Amino acid sequence: MREETRREAVWQFLTYAFVIVGAILTMVPLYWIFVASTLRESEFLSSTDPRLLPGDSFLANFQSLQARENVQFVGEPGQMTQFVDLGPIYFAYDFWHLWDMGAIESSIFIAVVYTLLSLVLCSMAGFAFAKYEFRFKKPIFYAILATLILPIQLLVIPLFLLMSQIGLTNSYWAIILPWAANPLGIFLMRQNMQSIPDALLESARMDGATEFQLYYKIALPTMKSSLAALAIILFLFQWNLFLFPLVILEQGKYTIPVAINQLVGAQRVYYDQIMVAATLSVIPIFVLFLFLQKQFVSGILAGSVKE
């Protein structure tokens, strides 16, 4: 018994040691990006005197970044500059454009709107696939899943032609709408909503609830953790999207990945500006994960075990 207890203690120590080392190795690149953003370019490129502690040049590097003519990372108050009439969305879109958006504001706007819209569509589709019977249900679901294997590179040209035909090129909606019904999101929502007892829905129907009320008042409240986990996944997907925004957007509307790419010149790479931009780009992701980390873990595990 004593030997078994000692063996368990050793395994526990090794497990914690492995997790701690893994966490440190994961944080090292982020820490280095932060340190590099606070140093002059010559300091962090120096091979004779490498710096591991933050310096005092962050504001200078940021001002240098903002002074770039081809890309602006943080916008300033300005005039209304863009108009897209999409019904009710028209007003919110134009309200946002009371400010000239930089790359960070553009990415936040696109990622937030995309995440909210995709959560609604994916949860509704997942609820339908989980709780309703209709013709060709399985073929349609598997066809949606099959789109996961299509690489974005394959979709760029058809989507560009489609957006051009409906007049949405150089528009944020051209990036938001094509992936709004995310197949991975539909799959996750369908798997999780299968855990909702059918008896609960039948009881609500007998009490006079409509089908939309079943979705809105019963399904959604029980899926908070799953929705939070999906929100992080969707936000990260849109936040890191590079190729299609590069093709569809013009200068002045660049998102963060595209804007950082513009800092790589033909004759020089602006490392100090890239590090500042990378540091600023991490902050929204960090804040989002900080608020939703508990729901993210429980949401990822939800639906993984069938009783």
Side-chain angles (χ1 to χ4, degrees):
M1 184 70 182
R2 192 172 179 180
E3 181 66 24
E4 186 177 345
T5 304
R6 186 181 303 168
R7 191 179 302 136
E8 289 181 358
V10 171
W11 274 112
Q12 190 175 30
F13 171 78
L14 292 175
T15 302
Y16 278 110
F18 178 79
V19 171
I20 291 172
V21 170
I24 292 174
L25 292 177
T26 303
M27 293 301 297
V28 164
L30 293 177
Y31 177 73
W32 171 239
I33 290 174
F34 168 71
V35 171
S37 69
T38 63
L39 302 176
R40 291 191 296 274
E41 190 175 18
S42 58
E43 290 178 318
F44 74 84
L45 288 179
S46 173
S47 59
T48 57
D49 184 23
R51 295 281 298 272
L52 297 178
L53 296 177
D56 57 358
S57 300
F58 182 85
L59 289 178
N61 294 336
F62 176 74
Q63 290 172 353
S64 173
L65 175 67
Q66 279 294 90
R68 291 290 299 258
E69 294 182 355
N70 60 334
V71 56
Q72 189 174 31
F73 262 77
V74 180
E76 298 176 353
Q79 299 298 319
M80 202 176 291
T81 56
Q82 302 173 44
F83 301 89
V84 171
D85 189 355
L86 291 177
I89 302 174
Y90 175 88
F91 299 100
Y93 185 74
D94 284 345
F95 176 79
W96 181 272
H97 279 84
L98 290 172
W99 291 265
D100 287 332
M101 291 200 290
I104 289 181
E105 292 98 326
S106 297
S107 285
I108 291 176
F109 173 77
I110 292 171
V112 169
V113 174
Y114 167 78
T115 301
L116 295 176
L117 180 61
S118 190
L119 283 178
V120 173
L121 295 179
C122 292
S123 60
M124 294 181 76
F127 185 67
F129 281 114
K131 294 300 174 186
Y132 292 100
E133 294 297 332
F134 50 89
R135 292 184 67 183
F136 308 118
K137 173 182 171 180
K138 287 187 177 180
I140 294 174
F141 180 68
Y142 291 134
I144 292 174
L145 281 186
T147 60
L148 283 171
I149 66 175
L150 296 176
I152 291 179
Q153 294 84 344
L154 191 67
L155 303 174
V156 167
I157 294 178
L159 284 178
F160 180 84
L161 295 175
L162 176 62
M163 293 301 141
S164 177
Q165 290 175 353
I166 60 178
L168 287 181
T169 52
N170 196 30
S171 164
Y172 297 135
W173 297 108
I175 307 174
I176 294 172
L177 295 178
W179 286 277
N182 189 290
L184 178 61
I186 294 173
F187 172 74
L188 292 177
M189 285 292 100
R190 183 242 190 193
Q191 295 301 105
N192 287 291
M193 286 187 174
Q194 283 180 334
S195 63
I196 300 175
D198 292 335
L200 179 62
L201 301 179
E202 287 299 329
S203 176
R205 285 192 183 98
M206 293 178 65
D207 290 339
T210 63
E211 297 303 313
F212 183 75
Q213 287 173 330
L214 296 181
Y215 158 77
Y216 180 69
K217 293 187 176 181
I218 296 180
L220 282 189
T222 60
M223 292 290 112
K224 287 182 179 178
S225 297
S226 300
L227 290 171
L230 181 60
I232 292 179
I233 294 173
L234 295 172
F235 192 92
L236 282 174
F237 166 79
Q238 191 58 256
W239 190 261
N240 295 324
L241 200 60
F242 170 71
L243 184 58
F244 192 60
L246 176 67
V247 173
I248 203 76
L249 295 180
E250 298 177 359
Q251 184 177 324
K253 291 186 178 180
Y254 287 156
T255 56
I256 285 179
V258 180
I260 290 178
N261 182 62
Q262 302 303 310
L263 301 178
V264 181
Q267 299 179 342
R268 180 188 171 188
V269 179
Y270 297 86
Y271 290 106
D272 51 346
Q273 298 175 12
I274 290 176
M275 293 303 170
V276 171
T279 300
L280 294 175
S281 71
V282 170
I283 295 175
I285 300 295
F286 180 75
V287 172
L288 179 67
F289 190 78
L290 196 64
F291 279 103
L292 298 178
Q293 56 177 325
K294 290 184 179 178
Q295 290 83 354
F296 178 74
V297 174
S298 58
I300 287 294
L301 295 178
S304 59
V305 178
K306 279 191 174 182
E307 295 183 356

